[in-house]
PDB file of all heavy atoms in Angstrom:
ATOM      1  N   GLY A 177     138.465  96.690 197.373  1.00 60.00           N
ATOM      2  CA  GLY A 177     137.040  96.738 197.017  1.00 60.00           C
ATOM      3  C   GLY A 177     136.077  97.125 198.090  1.00 60.00           C
ATOM      4  O   GLY A 177     134.893  96.977 197.986  1.00 60.00           O
ATOM      5  N   ALA A 178     136.570  97.640 199.287  1.00 66.00           N
ATOM      6  CA  ALA A 178     135.803  97.854 200.401  1.00 66.00           C
ATOM      7  C   ALA A 178     134.823  99.122 200.161  1.00 66.00           C
ATOM      8  O   ALA A 178     135.252 100.063 199.533  1.00 66.00           O
ATOM      9  CB  ALA A 178     136.733  98.299 201.662  1.00 66.00           C
ATOM     10  N   LYS A 179     133.615  98.980 200.616  1.00 70.00           N
ATOM     11  CA  LYS A 179     132.720 100.031 200.513  1.00 70.00           C
ATOM     12  C   LYS A 179     131.904 100.131 201.765  1.00 70.00           C
ATOM     13  O   LYS A 179     131.583  99.192 202.379  1.00 70.00           O
ATOM     14  CB  LYS A 179     131.744  99.751 199.382  1.00 70.00           C
ATOM     15  CG  LYS A 179     132.344  99.727 197.981  1.00 70.00           C
ATOM     16  CD  LYS A 179     131.340  99.564 196.825  1.00 70.00           C
ATOM     17  CE  LYS A 179     132.128  99.554 195.538  1.00 70.00           C
ATOM     18  NZ  LYS A 179     131.394  99.150 194.445  1.00 70.00           N
ATOM     19  N   VAL A 180     131.518 101.393 202.045  1.00 69.00           N
ATOM     20  CA  VAL A 180     130.668 101.657 203.229  1.00 69.00           C
ATOM     21  C   VAL A 180     129.210 101.812 202.670  1.00 69.00           C
ATOM     22  O   VAL A 180     128.996 102.628 201.844  1.00 69.00           O
ATOM     23  CB  VAL A 180     131.152 102.927 203.895  1.00 69.00           C
ATOM     24  CG1 VAL A 180     130.167 103.191 205.030  1.00 69.00           C
ATOM     25  CG2 VAL A 180     132.554 102.748 204.423  1.00 69.00           C
ATOM     26  N   SER A 181     128.355 100.942 203.180  1.00 68.00           N
ATOM     27  CA  SER A 181     127.008 100.990 202.731  1.00 68.00           C
ATOM     28  C   SER A 181     126.253 102.177 203.323  1.00 68.00           C
ATOM     29  O   SER A 181     126.630 102.702 204.369  1.00 68.00           O
ATOM     30  CB  SER A 181     126.235  99.728 203.234  1.00 68.00           C
ATOM     31  OG  SER A 181     124.972  99.708 203.020  1.00 68.00           O
ATOM     32  N   ALA A 182     125.280 102.657 202.586  1.00 70.00           N
ATOM     33  CA  ALA A 182     124.417 103.797 203.066  1.00 70.00           C
ATOM     34  C   ALA A 182     123.245 103.214 203.800  1.00 70.00           C
ATOM     35  O   ALA A 182     122.226 103.991 204.064  1.00 70.00           O
ATOM     36  CB  ALA A 182     124.031 104.586 201.868  1.00 70.00           C
ATOM     37  N   LYS A 183     123.247 101.900 204.205  1.00 71.00           N
ATOM     38  CA  LYS A 183     122.099 101.333 204.950  1.00 71.00           C
ATOM     39  C   LYS A 183     122.342 101.564 206.516  1.00 71.00           C
ATOM     40  O   LYS A 183     122.683 100.610 207.158  1.00 71.00           O
ATOM     41  CB  LYS A 183     122.043  99.887 204.663  1.00 71.00           C
ATOM     42  CG  LYS A 183     121.744  99.502 203.134  1.00 71.00           C
ATOM     43  CD  LYS A 183     121.893  98.049 202.869  1.00 71.00           C
ATOM     44  CE  LYS A 183     121.643  97.777 201.377  1.00 71.00           C
ATOM     45  NZ  LYS A 183     121.893  96.413 201.036  1.00 71.00           N
ATOM     46  N   TRP A 184     122.126 102.756 206.905  1.00 74.00           N
ATOM     47  CA  TRP A 184     122.362 103.107 208.292  1.00 74.00           C
ATOM     48  C   TRP A 184     121.257 102.438 209.202  1.00 74.00           C
ATOM     49  O   TRP A 184     120.120 102.547 208.746  1.00 74.00           O
ATOM     50  CB  TRP A 184     122.376 104.596 208.490  1.00 74.00           C
ATOM     51  CG  TRP A 184     123.570 105.228 207.768  1.00 74.00           C
ATOM     52  CD1 TRP A 184     123.492 105.932 206.683  1.00 74.00           C
ATOM     53  CD2 TRP A 184     124.933 105.122 208.164  1.00 74.00           C
ATOM     54  NE1 TRP A 184     124.804 106.253 206.320  1.00 74.00           N
ATOM     55  CE2 TRP A 184     125.748 105.848 207.146  1.00 74.00           C
ATOM     56  CE3 TRP A 184     125.564 104.480 209.248  1.00 74.00           C
ATOM     57  CZ2 TRP A 184     127.096 105.930 207.301  1.00 74.00           C
ATOM     58  CZ3 TRP A 184     126.980 104.557 209.311  1.00 74.00           C
ATOM     59  CH2 TRP A 184     127.714 105.330 208.329  1.00 74.00           C
ATOM     60  N   GLN A 185     121.697 101.891 210.205  1.00 74.00           N
ATOM     61  CA  GLN A 185     120.706 101.279 211.170  1.00 74.00           C
ATOM     62  C   GLN A 185     120.945 101.950 212.565  1.00 74.00           C
ATOM     63  O   GLN A 185     122.046 102.007 213.061  1.00 74.00           O
ATOM     64  CB  GLN A 185     121.077  99.862 211.277  1.00 74.00           C
ATOM     65  CG  GLN A 185     120.062  99.077 212.081  1.00 74.00           C
ATOM     66  CD  GLN A 185     120.353  97.495 212.014  1.00 74.00           C
ATOM     67  OE1 GLN A 185     121.557  97.161 211.749  1.00 74.00           O
ATOM     68  NE2 GLN A 185     119.437  96.685 212.398  1.00 74.00           N
ATOM     69  N   ALA A 186     119.802 102.391 213.119  1.00 73.00           N
ATOM     70  CA  ALA A 186     119.957 103.071 214.379  1.00 73.00           C
ATOM     71  C   ALA A 186     120.213 102.028 215.534  1.00 73.00           C
ATOM     72  O   ALA A 186     119.693 100.919 215.494  1.00 73.00           O
ATOM     73  CB  ALA A 186     118.546 103.824 214.768  1.00 73.00           C
ATOM     74  N   ILE A 187     121.003 102.466 216.461  1.00 72.00           N
ATOM     75  CA  ILE A 187     121.373 101.622 217.665  1.00 72.00           C
ATOM     76  C   ILE A 187     120.629 102.380 218.804  1.00 72.00           C
ATOM     77  O   ILE A 187     120.869 103.599 218.951  1.00 72.00           O
ATOM     78  CB  ILE A 187     122.958 101.535 217.849  1.00 72.00           C
ATOM     79  CG1 ILE A 187     123.402 100.763 216.703  1.00 72.00           C
ATOM     80  CG2 ILE A 187     123.110 100.782 219.180  1.00 72.00           C
ATOM     81  CD1 ILE A 187     125.048 100.726 216.722  1.00 72.00           C
ATOM     82  N   PRO A 188     119.916 101.700 219.579  1.00 76.00           N
ATOM     83  CA  PRO A 188     119.177 102.364 220.715  1.00 76.00           C
ATOM     84  C   PRO A 188     120.219 103.161 221.666  1.00 76.00           C
ATOM     85  O   PRO A 188     121.326 102.584 221.868  1.00 76.00           O
ATOM     86  CB  PRO A 188     118.627 101.172 221.503  1.00 76.00           C
ATOM     87  CG  PRO A 188     118.473 100.098 220.464  1.00 76.00           C
ATOM     88  CD  PRO A 188     119.582 100.223 219.579  1.00 76.00           C
TER      89      PRO A 188
END
Side-chain angles (χ1 to χ4, degrees):
K179 293 182 179 171
V180 176
S181 171
K183 298 175 183 172
W184 296 106
Q185 184 178 22
I187 297 173

